[in-house]
Each structure stands twice: as structure tokens, then as C-alpha cells.
């Protein structure tokens, strides 16, 4: 250790130029890799890594052919069902079809109008009319579609005033193939069953996957931009809104990119102003800013080099890096200026050396506690939260190294600055007032803290994790407006699916023989045992209809589509019961394109199962997704008497709910790890159980007040706000560590607890005030985001840091005065 200390002093402080050049070369290397920095806003980034429902959902999507499409919701100014409006829609659909990334467009013009054609559904299957036909009765067409079990709330709203175009996007088969291969190999890797050859294959596939993903993202971006250009031309016809997963992902990438720029620029501007006001010296403005820029660029290059993509959750990592690096640098500057003012005879290098030596351990432990806070996020099952935890943990190690290598090295090459009196600097009056409050009004401090603790504890019991994806976005964004319009007028937004597996028929041969005879007479052929001939049985039709009706009765469920929908269309046309025999004939006679739209997505004869597709109205204020899914599960078992192994509930609403419900477990794990880790670190640092408890109390109070406030205000926990308590604990404990460390250092010199309290408030208290102010304002800048969870995260964390600041400078010193954990041993020397 002595050798290391001598080498550090020699190369960092006494001969800094060689090390500074090496550090600049390292910066250049990482800056080069910054060009590989990537953003990710795909739906996969919001899912649980180990969710078994995710595996089932993907299998179901592959089996029934899930398409990638966009939706254009249209509320025309003129009546929807008239020739002028429909002609405009035809032109719009035609122009959208010409866009390279759009494969086809489905609209209300493609919907079969069966009631105006005459005959049974079987007879109409290959010969039907549409709104394109010149002699269509628009009033009858309107009544048919708004009352249709299939098309109402799908292509037209129940009031007949809103319609939608479905834009089917071009599918990149190579990308899908590589994505599935990467997924399978990654699963083998996580299970530990991968071979060395497969590991090499996974590396190659990952590179190919990223290349193809960039191509797909670029094509989607260009396609969406072209779609919006076309829509702008048709704005005069009414209200047009674009929606869909691909559009949301593309807009989210723009949000992330804008957030990175806005957060970084906002934080930088604030830091420049703050440093200038506090220190009134160009040196102490430029050096901390240079450290922030150095640490930020190293981290960006590191992420680019590792191929680590930034999501909406981790989009604020740059601003956090700047804030935390600045906080550590402010502590160093304040300590240097204090030592320089009190020891004017020391040389510049000696003052720098003592500053580094005295600050290394408190800064090291504060960095570790903050690493622990962010590192605890990896206990979550939510991928973007895990990534955010790793990014910030590594980033804090970078911050510490930059603060004790780059900062002192850059400072050492400069000349000794003039000694400045910091006693009149901003913050002195506030810390002086807090010092007086702690020393003279301790009972009030303890009483108020207890009341706030009770307030937080009661509020925590009211916490909830329910949240709506639509409410993640500002009401002025196209994402919000499009989602709300589709949600309210077109049957809901979030997919919910129920898969029913039938048991094998006990008398399958008899049923086959009976229906074969009828089909032979009708079709004029000899049946060869086609399963279609006998699959559609009354029992299956009855089961599907019962589940269909049950789903429609649930609060929050919008449009439901299934085999029952088609049956009811047939019954409405023929005015009689649509039996199993007619379904078998219909299945054989229906044209391929109509079958692909009305039957294939809901029936799998070869697997002996049916699929019901519903959409949940995500914008309903009182919707409780977890309760809804539980009611469906219980209802299918108890009310409809289905065996649990015979049905499966799936869809994005299940995956999203799983993610939300995992938040409570994640919160408990991360908070437990952070509190235990902080207590252990304080115990190691101060070798005192009393000090470990004293140091953690103010920060637990701050975290509990924030969580309690969220409970009282009904602010739901989500993938961003879940991190607030742990981060508040991890960052806020830095104040306690610095204060306790300085108090223990100065008490032997001053020989009196109260005098030491006033001295610490005037010195380390000011540094704590400055760094806390930096963090508070820095987090507050997140309010500039378009993503509401980021806004809540910024404001609530800022409030938590403000509470922690006042607790560290009031409750913490009062606890020290009450418990008196330090033995007073007077010293004769100054340091």
C-alpha cells in the first residue's frame, strides 16, 4: 500500500503530464467506439426475461400468424357512410399501399356486406358485396357493420363515426429467422446447456441479428415518416391518428434520443451556473465539467464497445453520470479550498495530496453504497431495469476512478490558485440555520421525523402497481391520442387471448361416419376421412360461445373475436341456428383470403383447439388488470366448468401484468439488499453498530416518505418509479457517510459535540448542501421528458434527495448528540 501511495503521489500530483496524456489517449479510444452506441425501444425490452407466459405467447403468435401492422384511426368530418368519404378513403389506402414498407392495406371498403347479398353464409362465402359496389344501400351497410359480431369496433365504431385502416407491414423473413435462432441459443446459454460450437454460433448470430435489426428499424422509421407525409395530405378530411407497436417503438427511440440530448444539455447548463455561483473561479468550473465530460464519454464508448443498448428506462444514465460525477468533484473542491484556506503555508501539490488522501475513503464508500443501490436493481426480473442497474453500477466505478485520477492529474498541471474565503459563499446561511435548529430544537426535529415516518408507513400500505401503458405518455403526444381513440372507439388496445384445448372425442368414428354421408351428398364426392368433416361439433360450438360471452361481460374487455363471432354472423343472415354441419361446409368452401381473416386465426383443427382474441380497454380509469385476469381464470374454471389444463390465458395484457406484479417483489428485494449492504459498509467504515444505525436512519426516513407519498397520491409503481427508493437510499447515504466521517475526524480536535456540529455544518455541511442541490436540480431536469414515468422518477427522486438532505443536516446530528457514539480524545495537532 505504501508503494502504491508513493507511485500515486509521484505520477498523479508531482509528474502529471505522462498520466494525463495516457488518460487522453484512453478517452480517444472510447470516443471512437461511441459511434457504436445504440438505442432500443422494442417491445421485448419491457418484458420479463424468465416469464413462462412470454414463451407461451410467442408460440401462440407463431402458430396463428401474428402480423406486424399499423393502424390509422379516422374520424371524418363528413358522414362516414357516403360516397365522397369512401372515395377519399380509397385514395388514401391506395397511396399508403404504394409506400415501400407497406405490404397491404385493409379498410372498411374490404369488409363483406352479407346482409345485402341474399342467401345463407355458406352460399355467400365466395360471392359477397362490399362498400365499393355502386348500388350499396349505405344505411343498411352502416347498420350491418355497427351491429356485426365481427366488424363492429374492429373497422367501425359503434356510433358509425370512426373507422380504421390496417397497414400490414413488409415482413423481413431473414430477421425473424435470425431472431428466433438467437432466442433459442440464448435460452441454451441461460440454462447452461450450450456447447462451445453453439457459443461461437451465438456470437455470429448476435452480430447478424444487430445488423438486420438496424435495417428493420431504419425501414420502419422511413415507412412511418412516409405514412405521416401521406396522412398530412388528407388532414382536411377529418381527424387522422396513427397507432401501432412499430410506431410506438419508433417514436420511443426519438423520445430516448431527445431525452439524452435534453437531459445532458440541461444538466450541463445547470452545472456551469451552479459551479460559477458557488466557487466564482474558472478553474473550479472547468475542472469538474471536464471530469463529467470525460466520465460520460468513457461510459458511452464502453456501451458502444460492448453492444449494450440504451432503453427508455436507462435513457437518463448520462444525466445521472454527470450529476454523480459532479457531486464527487464538488466534495473534492470544497475540501481543497478549506484546506488551502486553513493552511496557507502548504504548497499546491501538498494541498492536493492531503485533499485526495482525506477524501478517498469517504468517497470510496459513498461510491460503493451508490453502486449497491443501483446494483440491487439487477435482482429485478425486468430486463431494462436490470440493464439500468448494471450501467449505473459500472458508471459509478468510472466516476470514482475519474475523480481520483483525471481530476487531480488535470488540476496538478495548473498553477496554484488564489486562496478564496468560502465563508460567504451560498449555502453558508442555510447550513448555519440548520446547525442552530439541530443543536437548539432537537425535540422538534425528532418529533417531526417520527410523524413523517408514520406518514410514510401508512402511505406505503396504500401502494399499488396498477398502471396503464397509455398513461406513460403526455396527452399531447400522438401515441397517447392514437391509443385513446382506438381504445375508446375501436374496441380496446391491449391484446388478451384465451386458448381452449379440447379433449379427444370419445365417439369420433361415429361422428365422422354420420357427417361424411351428408358431405358426400352435398359436395358430390367420397370423403376420405378429412378431420374438418367431423371436427365442428355442437359441444365445441357451445363451449366457444360460452367463453366468448363470458369474456364480453368482464369490465375492461372490449371487442371479442372468435369462432362464435362467425357463427353469429351466419345466424343473423339466415335467421336460424347455425349448426356444426354448415360450419364444416363453410370451412371447405370459403375463399382462402376470407378464411385467413375469419376462421384460421381462431380455429386449429389439427391441434384440436380454438383461440379467442379480445382487446382490453387500457384507458379505463378503474381497470385493475390483475383482478381482471384472476376473474377470468376463476370464471373459466368455476362458472364454465373448464379444466385448468384445457385453457390458457395469454396476450400482451398478461405479459404486462406479470411485469407490474413483479415490481413489489423487486422492490422488497432491492430495498432489503440496499439497507443490509449500507449497514454493513457503515459498520466496516466506522467499526460501530451505533454509527451504522445512526447513518442509515435519515435515509430510510427519506425513502419511506417518498414511497408513502406515492401511496397517498395513488401514483402507481412502474418500471421507473420502482427504482426510486433504492436509489434514494444509495445516493442519500453519501451525506451520512461524509458527515459522520468528518464529525469523527474533527471531534478530537474541537473536544465538544455541539462545537463539532457547528463546525461540520459550516464545512462538510456546505459540501453536502451543494452536492445535494446538484442532484436535486439534476433529477428535476428529467421533467423535460415526454415519457411520464421518467418525469415521476425525476421529481420523486429529487424530492427524496431534498428530504434526505434536511434529514442529514438535522436528524442525523441530533441523533449524534443524543447517542454520543464517539469517545472524545483531544488532539494537539491541527490535521
Amino acid at each position: 500500500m505504501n508503494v502504491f501511495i508513493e507511485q500515486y503521489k509521484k505520477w498523479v500530483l508531482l509528474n502529471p503530464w505522462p498520466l494525463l496524456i495516457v488518460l487522453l489517449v484512453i478517452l480517444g479510444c472510447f470516443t471512437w467506439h461511441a459511434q457504436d452506441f445504440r438505442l432500443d425501444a422494442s417491445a421485448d425490452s419491457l418484458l420479463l426475461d424468465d416469464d413462462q407466459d412470454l414463451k407461451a405467447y410467442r408460440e401462440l403468435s407463431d402458430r396463428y400468424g401474428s402480423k406486424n401492422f399499423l393502424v390509422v384511426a379516422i374520424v371524418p368530418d363528413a358522414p362516414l357512410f357516403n360516397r365522397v368519404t369512401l372515395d377519399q378513403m380509397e385514395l388514401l389506402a391506395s397511396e399508403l399501399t404504394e409506400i415501400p414498407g407497406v405490404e397491404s392495406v385493409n379498410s372498411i371498403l374490404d369488409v363483406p356486406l352479407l346482409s345485402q347479398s341474399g342467401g345463407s353464409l355458406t352460399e355467400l362465402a365466395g360471392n359477397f358485396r362490399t362498400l365499393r359496389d355502386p348500388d350499396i344501400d349505405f344505411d343498411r351497410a352502416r347498420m350491418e357493420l355497427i351491429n356485426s359480431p365481427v366488424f363492429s369496433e374492429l373497422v367501425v365504431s359503434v356510433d358509425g363515426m370512426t373507422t380504421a385502416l390496417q397497414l400490414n407491414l413488409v415482413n423481413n423473413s431473414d430477421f425473424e429467422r435470425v431472431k428466433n435462432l438467437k432466442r433459442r441459443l440464448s435460452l441454451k446459454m441461460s440454462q447452461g446447456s450450450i456447447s462451445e460450437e453453439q457459443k461461437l454460433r451465438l456470437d455470429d448470430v448476435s452480430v447478424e441479428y444487430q445488423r438486420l435489426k438496424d435495417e428493420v428499424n431504419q425501414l420502419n422509421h422511413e415507412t412511418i415518416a412516409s405514412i405521416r407525409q401521406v396522412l398530412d395530405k388528407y388532414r382536411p378530411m377529418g381527424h387522422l391518428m396513427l397507432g401501432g407497436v412499430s410506431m410506438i417503438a419508433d417514436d420511443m427511440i426519438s423520445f430516448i434520443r431527445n431525452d439524452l440530448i435534453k437531459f445532458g444539455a440541461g444538466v450541463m447548463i445547470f452545472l456551469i451556473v451552479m459551479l460559477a455561483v458557488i466557487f466564482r473561479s474558472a478553474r473550479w468550473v472547468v475542472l469538474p465539467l471536464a471530469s463529467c465530460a470525460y466520465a460520460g464519454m468513457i461510459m458511452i464508448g464502453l456501451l458502444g464497445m460492448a453492444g449494450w443498448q440504451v432503453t427508455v428506462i436507462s435513457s437518463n444514465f448520462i444525466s445521472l453520470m454527470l450529476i454523480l460525477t459532479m457531486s464527487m468533484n464538488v466534495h473534492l473542491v470544497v475540501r481543497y479550498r478549506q484546506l488551502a484556506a486553513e493552511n496557507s503555508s502548504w504548497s499546491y501539490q501538498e494541498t492536493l495530496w492531503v485533499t485526495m488522501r482525506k477524501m478517498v475513503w469517504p468517497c470510496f464508500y459513498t461510491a460503493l453504497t451508490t453502486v449497491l443501490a443501483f446494483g440491487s436493481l439487477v435482482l429485478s426480473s425486468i430486463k431494462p431495469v436490470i440493464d439500468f442497474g448494471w450501467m449505473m453500477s459500472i458508471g459509478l466505478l468510472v466516476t470514482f476512478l475519474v475523480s481520483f485520477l483525471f481530476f487531480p492529474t488535470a488540476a496538478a498541471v495548473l498553477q496554484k490558485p488564489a486562496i478564496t474565503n468560502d465563508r460567504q459563499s451560498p449555502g453558508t446561511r442555510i447550513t448555519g440555520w440548520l446547525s442552530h435548529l439541530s443543536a437548539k430544537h432537537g425535540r422538534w426535529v425528532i418529533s417531526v421525523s417520527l410523524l413523517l415516518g408514520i406518514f410514510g408507513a401508512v402511505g406505503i400500505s396504500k401502494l399499488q402497481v396498477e398502471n396503464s401503458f397509455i398513461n406513460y405518455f403526455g396527452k399531447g403526444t400522438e401515441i397517447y391520442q392514437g391509443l385513446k381513440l382506438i381504445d375508446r372507439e375501436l374496441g380496446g388496445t391491449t391484446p388478451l387471448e384465451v386458448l381452449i384445448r379440447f379433449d379427444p372425442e370419445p365417439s369420433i368414428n361415429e361422428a365422422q361416419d354420420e357427417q361424411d354421408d351428408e358431405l358426400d351428398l352435398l359436395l358430390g364426392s367420397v370423403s376420405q376421412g378429412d378431420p374438418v368433416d367431423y371436427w365442428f361439433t355442437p359441444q365445441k360450438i357451445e363451449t366457444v360461445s360460452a367463453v366468448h360471452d363470458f369474456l364480453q361481460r368482464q369490465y375492461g374487455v372490449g371487442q371479442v373475436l372468435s369462432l362464435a363471432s362467425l357463427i353469429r354472423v351466419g345466424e343473423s343472415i339466415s335467421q336460424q341456428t347455425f349448426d356444426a354441419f354448415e360450419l364444416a361446409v363453410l370451412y371447405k368452401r370459403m375463399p382462402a383470403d376470407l378464411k385467413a381473416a375469419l376462421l384460421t386465426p381462431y380455429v386449429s383443427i389439427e391441434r384440436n383447439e380454438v383461440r379467442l382474441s379480445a382487446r382490453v380497454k387500457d384507458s379505463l380509469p378503474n381497470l385493475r388488470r390483475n383482478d381482471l385476469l384472476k376473474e377470468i381464470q376463476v370464471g373459466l374454471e368455476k362458472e364454465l366448468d373448464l379444466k385448468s389444463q384445457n385453457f390458457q390465458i395469454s396476450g400482451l395484457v398478461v405479459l404486462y401484468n406479470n411485469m407490474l406484479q413483479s415490481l413489489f417483489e423487486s422492490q422488497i428485494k432491492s430495498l432489503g439488499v440496499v439497507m443490509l449492504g449500507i449497514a454493513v459498509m457503515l459498520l466496516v467504515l466506522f467499526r460501530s453498530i451505533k454509527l451504522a444505525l445512526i447513518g442509515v436512519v435519515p435515509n430510510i426516513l427519506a425513502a419511506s416518505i417518498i414511497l408513502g407519498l406515492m401511496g397517498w397520491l395513488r401514483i402507481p409503481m412502474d418500471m421507473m418509479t420502482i427504482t426510486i427508493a433504492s436509489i434514494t437510499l444509495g445516493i442519500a447515504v453519501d451525506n451520512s457517510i461524509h458527515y459522520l466521517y468528518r464529525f469523527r475526524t474533527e471531534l478530537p480536535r474541537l473536544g465538544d459535540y455541539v462545537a463539532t456540529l457547528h463546525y461540520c455544518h459550516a464545512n462538510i455541511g456546505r459540501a453536502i448542501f451543494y452536492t445535494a442541490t446538484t442532484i436535486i436540480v439534476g433529477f428535476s431536469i428529467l421533467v423535460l421528458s415526454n415519457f411520464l414515468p421518467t418525469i415521476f422518477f425525476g421529481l420523486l427522486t429529487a424530492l427524496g434527495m431534498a428530504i434526505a438532505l434536511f434529514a442529514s443536516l438535522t436528524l442525523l446530528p441530533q441523533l449524534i448528540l443524543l447517542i454520543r457514539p464517539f469517545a472524545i480524545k483531544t488532539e494537539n495537532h491541527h490535521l
Side-chain angles (χ1 to χ4, degrees):
M1 180 61 70
N2 289 333
V3 172
F4 174 79
I5 291 173
E6 290 301 319
Q7 291 298 316
Y8 178 89
K9 187 174 183 180
K10 174 183 177 182
W11 293 108
V12 174
L13 301 174
L14 301 179
N15 188 27
W17 278 109
L19 179 58
L20 184 59
I21 292 172
V22 170
L23 291 173
L24 293 177
V25 170
I26 293 173
L27 177 64
C29 293
F30 280 97
T31 302
W32 171 258
H33 286 285
Q35 63 184 327
D36 299 320
F37 182 72
R38 294 287 187 274
L39 305 177
D40 182 18
S42 63
D44 286 351
S45 67
L46 301 179
L47 302 177
L48 300 181
D49 266 349
D50 56 352
D51 191 352
Q52 291 302 310
D53 287 320
L54 175 58
K55 180 181 178 182
Y57 171 73
R58 285 170 172 164
E59 291 176 352
L60 200 59
S61 298
D62 293 340
R63 190 183 311 165
Y64 286 94
S66 178
K67 289 184 177 180
N68 186 18
F69 62 88
L70 297 172
V71 174
V72 177
I74 304 173
V75 186
D77 292 336
L80 174 59
F81 289 88
N82 74 65
R83 185 55 60 192
V84 174
T85 302
L86 294 176
D87 286 346
Q88 285 182 311
M89 202 171 301
E90 182 83 80
L91 291 172
L92 173 58
S94 178
E95 286 199 44
L96 291 172
T97 306
E98 296 300 318
I99 295 173
V102 177
E103 184 176 70
S104 62
V105 177
N106 299 329
S107 72
I108 195 173
L109 297 164
D110 303 301
V111 173
L113 299 175
L114 303 175
S115 66
Q116 298 195 34
S117 302
S120 69
L121 184 60
T122 306
E123 295 168 339
L124 294 172
N127 181 27
F128 54 83
R129 306 177 73 189
T130 70
L131 285 171
R132 289 190 177 92
D133 292 323
D135 57 343
I136 284 294
D137 185 330
F138 287 125
D139 289 334
R140 285 184 64 189
R142 179 179 181 276
M143 292 304 297
E144 176 181 349
L145 292 181
I146 65 176
N147 293 304
S148 170
V150 175
F151 300 113
S152 179
E153 294 190 298
L154 180 66
V155 296
V156 63
S157 60
V158 292
D159 61 6
M161 298 175 64
T162 304
T163 187
L165 305 179
Q166 178 176 310
L167 282 59
N168 300 308
L169 301 180
V170 173
N171 183 47
N172 188 320
S173 57
D174 289 339
F175 175 66
E176 293 300 322
R177 175 181 54 79
V178 172
K179 181 172 71 173
N180 291 332
L181 178 57
K182 178 177 179 292
R183 189 179 292 160
R184 291 195 299 270
L185 291 174
S186 297
L187 180 61
K188 284 181 173 291
M189 174 72 82
S190 64
Q191 294 174 343
S193 60
I194 193 170
S195 65
E196 290 300 321
E197 182 180 351
Q198 288 173 328
K199 285 182 181 179
L200 296 175
R201 177 65 173 148
L202 177 58
D203 293 338
D204 294 337
V205 168
S206 297
V207 173
E208 180 68 4
Y209 169 79
Q210 188 58 56
R211 183 186 68 81
L212 291 171
K213 184 179 181 182
D214 290 342
E215 289 181 4
V216 169
N217 288 342
Q218 183 60 33
L219 177 60
N220 281 341
H221 179 73
E222 294 171 358
T223 300
I224 290 166
S226 299
I227 291 171
R228 283 175 167 151
Q229 288 178 356
V230 172
L231 295 182
D232 287 340
K233 292 169 54 179
Y234 287 85
R235 299 288 179 194
M237 73 177 288
H239 188 52
L240 280 67
M241 296 300 306
L242 181 63
V245 174
S246 295
M247 184 274 284
I248 293 174
D250 187 70
D251 281 5
M252 289 293 290
I253 289 177
S254 298
F255 287 173
I256 296 171
R257 187 178 293 112
N258 291 337
D259 283 353
L260 287 171
I261 295 172
K262 286 189 293 187
F263 297 165
V267 170
M268 268 297 186
I269 292 171
F270 162 71
L271 293 179
I272 292 171
V273 173
M274 185 201 73
L275 292 171
V277 170
I278 293 175
F279 298 123
R280 301 183 300 279
S281 168
R283 173 194 300 259
W284 304 125
V285 173
V286 173
L287 279 178
L289 286 177
S291 292
C292 291
Y294 189 97
M297 187 54 67
I298 290 289
M299 195 60 196
I300 291 175
L302 185 61
L303 295 180
M305 185 187 304
W308 212 344
Q309 298 182 342
V310 172
T311 67
V312 66
I313 307 302
S314 51
S315 63
N316 52 22
F317 90 95
I318 289 182
S319 56
L320 294 181
M321 282 281 295
L322 295 176
I323 292 167
L324 296 173
T325 304
M326 180 58 66
S327 299
M328 193 169 290
N329 278 242
V330 166
H331 273 291
L332 297 177
V333 173
V334 170
R335 186 61 161 149
Y336 167 85
R337 286 160 68 97
Q338 178 203 345
L339 289 171
E342 294 177 354
N343 303 276
S344 57
S345 61
W346 288 2
S347 68
Y348 180 43
Q349 283 74 18
E350 187 175 5
T351 310
L352 275 176
W353 164 242
V354 175
T355 300
M356 296 297 114
R357 182 166 58 84
K358 285 184 171 292
M359 293 301 296
V360 64
W361 286 113
C363 285
F364 176 73
Y365 276 95
T366 56
L368 279 184
T369 54
T370 312
V371 166
L372 181 66
F374 284 104
S376 69
L377 301 181
V378 305
L379 297 175
S380 170
S381 298
I382 305 168
K383 187 177 184 299
V385 176
I386 296 171
D387 290 345
F388 182 48
W390 281 116
M391 285 180 189
M392 289 307 303
S393 297
I394 296 172
L396 281 158
L397 295 178
V398 172
T399 288
F400 179 78
L401 292 174
V402 168
S403 297
F404 283 87
L405 287 176
F406 178 79
F407 177 84
T409 303
V413 302
L414 303 176
Q415 298 296 318
K416 181 177 181 178
I419 297 175
T420 306
N421 183 8
D422 280 348
R423 296 300 176 185
Q424 300 303 316
S425 64
T428 302
R429 183 174 298 179
I430 295 176
T431 56
W433 177 76
L434 292 175
S435 171
H436 175 78
L437 179 66
S438 301
K440 301 294 184 181
H441 303 285
R443 290 184 179 178
W444 280 103
V445 170
I446 298 293
S447 299
V448 171
S449 298
L450 286 173
L451 290 175
L452 289 175
I454 295 171
F455 168 85
V458 176
I460 289 173
S461 67
K462 301 176 181 292
L463 277 172
Q464 58 183 6
V465 297
E466 278 293 340
N467 203 357
S468 166
F469 185 72
I470 192 175
N471 292 326
Y472 285 164
F473 306 95
K475 294 183 178 181
T477 62
E478 186 176 12
I479 293 178
Y480 179 90
Q481 294 174 3
L483 283 174
K484 187 169 184 180
L485 179 61
I486 295 169
D487 197 67
R488 294 292 176 90
E489 302 296 334
L490 295 171
T493 50
T494 312
L496 169 66
E497 299 179 355
V498 176
L499 186 72
I500 300 176
R501 305 180 186 91
F502 294 108
D503 292 326
E505 295 288 345
S507 57
I508 195 168
N509 292 328
E510 295 178 10
Q512 176 181 347
D513 292 339
E514 182 180 343
Q515 291 195 19
D516 279 353
D517 292 341
E518 293 186 74
L519 284 169
D520 290 345
L521 291 173
L522 181 69
L523 300 176
S525 63
V526 178
S527 173
Q528 299 300 318
D530 188 344
V532 175
D533 298 344
Y534 55 85
W535 190 85
F536 294 96
T537 65
Q539 180 268 333
K540 289 174 181 172
I541 295 174
E542 182 181 345
T543 299
V544 174
S545 297
V547 176
H548 185 108
D549 293 338
F550 170 77
L551 290 176
Q552 282 192 322
R553 292 195 299 269
Q554 305 308 306
Y555 176 78
V557 175
Q559 188 211 45
V560 180
L561 291 175
S562 70
L563 178 62
S565 306
L566 181 62
I567 293 172
R568 287 164 189 178
V569 169
E571 291 175 345
S572 68
I573 294 171
S574 62
Q575 299 298 314
Q576 62 184 11
T577 303
F578 201 62
D579 60 25
F581 170 71
E582 288 182 281
L583 270 177
V585 175
L586 178 65
Y587 192 92
K588 290 195 169 189
R589 285 190 170 183
M590 185 174 284
D593 57 343
L594 203 57
K595 183 185 290 186
L598 299 179
L599 269 176
T600 307
Y602 311 108
V603 176
S604 177
I605 293 176
E606 62 273 14
R607 290 181 176 272
N608 198 24
E609 64 186 25
V610 293
R611 169 178 170 263
L612 295 94
S613 173
R615 284 179 285 150
V616 174
K617 294 193 172 183
D618 202 48
S619 60
L620 291 178
N622 298 320
L623 180 63
R624 296 290 178 266
R625 289 155 195 79
N626 195 48
D627 292 342
L628 171 62
L629 293 174
K630 286 181 179 178
E631 288 171 7
I632 293 174
Q633 178 77 29
V634 173
L636 292 177
E637 291 185 29
K638 305 295 185 182
E639 187 176 332
L640 302 184
D641 200 27
L642 293 179
K643 299 175 184 176
S644 59
Q645 65 268 24
N646 282 13
F647 70 87
Q648 182 174 17
I649 303 171
S650 185
L652 285 179
V653 68
V654 175
L655 303 181
Y656 182 59
N657 182 69
N658 289 351
M659 185 269 289
L660 290 176
Q661 296 306 316
S662 73
L663 295 180
F664 266 131
E665 183 181 352
S666 297
Q667 180 71 86
I668 293 170
K669 283 183 181 178
S670 59
L671 275 178
V673 169
V674 170
M675 286 189 289
L676 179 62
I678 287 174
V680 170
M681 288 185 185
L682 290 173
L683 187 62
V684 172
L685 178 60
F686 297 111
R687 296 180 178 84
S688 167
I689 296 177
K690 289 182 179 179
L691 284 177
L693 294 175
I694 290 173
V696 81
V697 165
N699 310 293
I700 292 178
L701 176 65
S704 64
I705 291 173
I706 290 302
L707 288 177
L709 185 64
M710 289 174 61
W712 283 108
L713 297 179
R714 293 291 189 266
I715 298 174
M717 296 174 69
D718 54 40
M719 52 199 168
M720 286 292 288
T721 54
I722 186 67
T723 64
I724 290 175
S726 296
I727 291 174
T728 299
L729 271 174
I731 298 178
V733 77
D734 296 358
N735 300 336
S736 298
I737 291 175
H738 281 293
Y739 193 92
L740 288 170
Y741 197 88
R742 183 65 64 85
F743 201 102
R744 186 181 67 175
T745 301
E746 302 296 345
L747 181 62
R749 182 174 66 85
L750 297 172
D752 180 76
Y753 266 88
V754 175
T756 305
L757 184 152
H758 290 307
Y759 179 87
C760 287
H761 271 67
N763 292 278
I764 191 61
R766 282 188 300 111
I768 290 173
F769 178 79
Y770 297 149
T771 56
T773 302
T774 301
I775 294 171
I776 291 167
V777 178
F779 276 104
S780 299
I781 290 173
L782 301 186
V783 75
L784 299 175
S785 175
N786 283 314
F787 194 54
L788 293 185
T790 299
I791 295 174
F792 281 123
F793 170 76
L795 291 178
L796 291 171
T797 306
L799 180 59
M801 295 307 303
I803 296 171
L805 166 65
F806 285 98
S808 297
L809 295 180
T810 55
L811 178 59
L812 177 63
Q814 181 58 35
L815 291 175
I816 293 174
L817 292 183
L818 284 175
I819 298 175
R820 296 184 177 260
F822 303 108
I824 300 177
K825 298 178 182 179
T826 57
E827 296 179 349
N828 294 323
H829 55 85
H830 184 68
L831 291 177

